[in-house]
Amino acid sequence: MDVHGTVAEGFEPVRQAFAANFELLGERGAAVAVYRDGRKVVDLWGGTRDVDGAAPWTPGTAQVVRSATKGVAAAALLLLHQRGELDLDAPVGEYWPQYKAAGKERTLVRHLLAHRAGVPVLDRPLTPEEAADPDLGAAAVAAQAPVWEPGTDHGYHAQTYSWLTGELIRRITGRPVGAYIAEEIARPAGAELWLGLPEAEQARVGRVGPVEAPQASGTLRTRPKRAVSEAYADPDSLTRRAFGAITPLPDENDPAYRAAALPASNGIATADGLARFYAALIGEVDGGTRLFTPATVELARAEQSAGPDRVLVVGTRFGLGPMLHGSASPMLSLGSFGHPGRGGSLAFADPESGVAFGYVTNGFRKSVTADPRAQALVRAVRAGLSTLG
């Protein structure tokens, strides 16, 4: 399989790892981009545009990145805080009065960002059509009683993060979340990412679908922990209920779904778009706009939640929105912050090394975090940095 694109001197291991993903790990179509100190040092793509097709992946191919979208949504709220429009220690109900219902009066904005709000599930799941309606989604989470006292524990808000973050942004700015991200994040950063895909961009997005992990031996074989497997198998578990807050699962290749704005799950991006977004959080990119001040970077990655996750079951770490480096989602170093997307994609920034990373794929595996293809690329970036000093 031909790998296209370029790598800067010292980052040759990333090209090798990217090619190996196709040869050994069943990759169908994918791209990876890496920035260092605001300069692109890796820009690679290969395979097919569609998981079930033959047309080649091109430099502008974009894909659904699932929960990697959460990192963008969190950044939007932190940007509002940076501008003095959002108090992280204020009750959510101060901005969104309807949210005070059902025992959520003391939920703080920081609880919502860090998966501590206690509303990862909906007693009545929404259909895909209902989920795409921001009014219905916001009303559902506002009425929902928490399953733990807000602020006392953490658990991944897999789907409800869409309406929690989206409605808070809408209440503060008066703009739909997708428009706010387009105007205040994507455009200033020059990043090819969308929440609510415009009609004009539909043709560049490849078809995604499930892929099975190849049969392999040694370190390539992964076996889920029994407790995790049982949680996903139990229809009454918080795990199943959290991921099932929208049911049935939407068709991610449906243009109507892609045009909706669900900040937890349906962002569309190129690998370069994700990497460039994170590069713009921590510094100037090609002399352009820096989105976060150094103080906001530190705020984003200040640990808010750590330990056993009541939804994902495994141990997770979260800052004020971003997932942090840890065993559940290894990134480049302890100081990295970002977000994976279930089944493949990964994007993050590592301020200490000045690295921003973005990986997208059209083949989704069953893993929620720590996809082996993304991890192979992260290890290769680390190897390249070690040779550069």
Side-chain angles (χ1 to χ4, degrees):
M1 203 287 304
D2 292 333
V3 169
H4 304 278
T6 60
V7 296
E9 183 178 354
F11 288 92
E12 293 84 1
V14 184
R15 180 186 287 275
Q16 296 163 9
F18 188 66
N21 281 351
F22 288 90
E23 296 166 8
L24 302 176
L25 297 182
E27 190 77 276
R28 302 283 183 83
V32 60
V34 180
Y35 284 75
R36 189 185 189 198
D37 298 329
R39 182 176 68 91
K40 193 188 301 186
V41 294
V42 174
D43 186 17
L44 298 173
W45 64 92
T48 60
R49 172 183 178 275
D50 302 320
V51 69
D52 53 1
W57 191 293
T58 66
T61 298
Q63 299 290 1
V64 175
V65 297
R66 291 186 169 176
S67 285
T69 319
K70 289 183 172 76
V72 183
L77 287 169
L78 289 171
L79 196 60
L80 288 170
H81 170 73
Q82 180 175 286
R83 294 171 175 175
E85 299 178 58
L86 175 64
D87 181 354
L88 298 174
D89 292 308
V92 174
E94 186 173 306
Y95 303 96
W96 178 4
Q98 293 86 343
Y99 194 78
K100 297 177 184 179
K104 302 192 299 300
E105 298 85 352
R106 297 182 182 180
T107 305
L108 306 182
V109 172
R110 67 172 58 247
H111 297 157
L112 182 154
L113 274 164
H115 297 268
R116 304 183 69 82
V119 287
V121 304
L122 294 177
D123 290 338
R124 188 189 76 78
L126 302 180
T127 67
E129 293 74 24
E130 290 171 331
D133 184 326
D135 292 325
L136 290 177
V141 293
Q144 178 66 41
V147 295
W148 66 79
E149 183 180 346
T152 63
D153 208 343
H154 83 284
Y156 189 53
H157 288 51
Q159 300 283 15
T160 57
Y161 208 75
S162 279
W163 310 297
L164 294 171
T165 57
E167 184 64 11
L168 193 53
I169 290 167
R170 187 167 65 153
R171 294 277 173 155
I172 295 167
T173 69
R175 287 182 271 177
V177 58
Y180 184 81
I181 286 171
E183 295 160 9
E184 304 296 338
I185 292 178
R187 187 176 301 160
E192 293 182 311
L193 61 85
W194 303 269
L195 182 64
L197 187 70
E199 178 71 27
E201 304 293 347
Q202 289 275 0
R204 70 190 299 177
V205 183
R207 289 181 58 83
V208 297
V211 295
E212 291 296 325
Q215 294 297 317
S217 60
T219 59
L220 295 181
R221 179 185 292 138
T222 57
R223 295 179 179 175
K225 294 180 181 179
R226 182 175 180 179
V228 176
S229 299
E230 290 175 350
Y232 280 96
D234 181 0
D236 296 323
S237 70
L238 286 183
T239 307
R240 279 282 295 275
R241 292 174 64 203
F243 282 99
I246 302 175
T247 188
L249 290 175
D251 176 2
E252 293 171 298
N253 296 310
D254 181 356
Y257 175 75
R258 293 172 173 179
L262 294 168
S265 60
N266 84 331
I268 308 281
T270 63
D272 180 73
L274 285 178
R276 193 176 179 94
F277 157 68
Y278 276 102
L281 293 186
I282 63 174
E284 294 183 357
V285 183
D286 300 329
T289 301
R290 174 173 178 157
L291 295 176
F292 279 1
T293 64
T296 303
V297 171
E298 294 310 307
L299 197 62
R301 62 178 181 160
E303 184 180 276
Q304 302 292 308
S305 302
D309 188 299
R310 292 189 62 169
V311 171
L312 295 181
V313 181
V314 298
T316 56
R317 297 178 66 231
F318 289 96
L320 280 166
M323 190 172 276
L324 306 180
H325 172 84
S327 59
S329 186
M331 300 180 203
L332 196 59
S333 76
L334 191 61
S336 300
F337 68 97
H339 218 288
R342 186 180 188 187
S345 57
L346 174 65
F348 63 82
D350 186 71
E352 279 68 33
S353 65
V355 163
F357 174 96
Y359 162 73
V360 301
T361 178
N362 58 25
F364 291 146
R365 293 172 61 163
K366 292 182 179 179
S367 58
V368 177
T369 61
D371 184 273
R373 297 163 297 177
Q375 289 305 306
L377 297 170
V378 172
R379 289 193 298 271
V381 171
R382 191 179 298 120
L385 290 171
S386 69
T387 65
L388 295 170

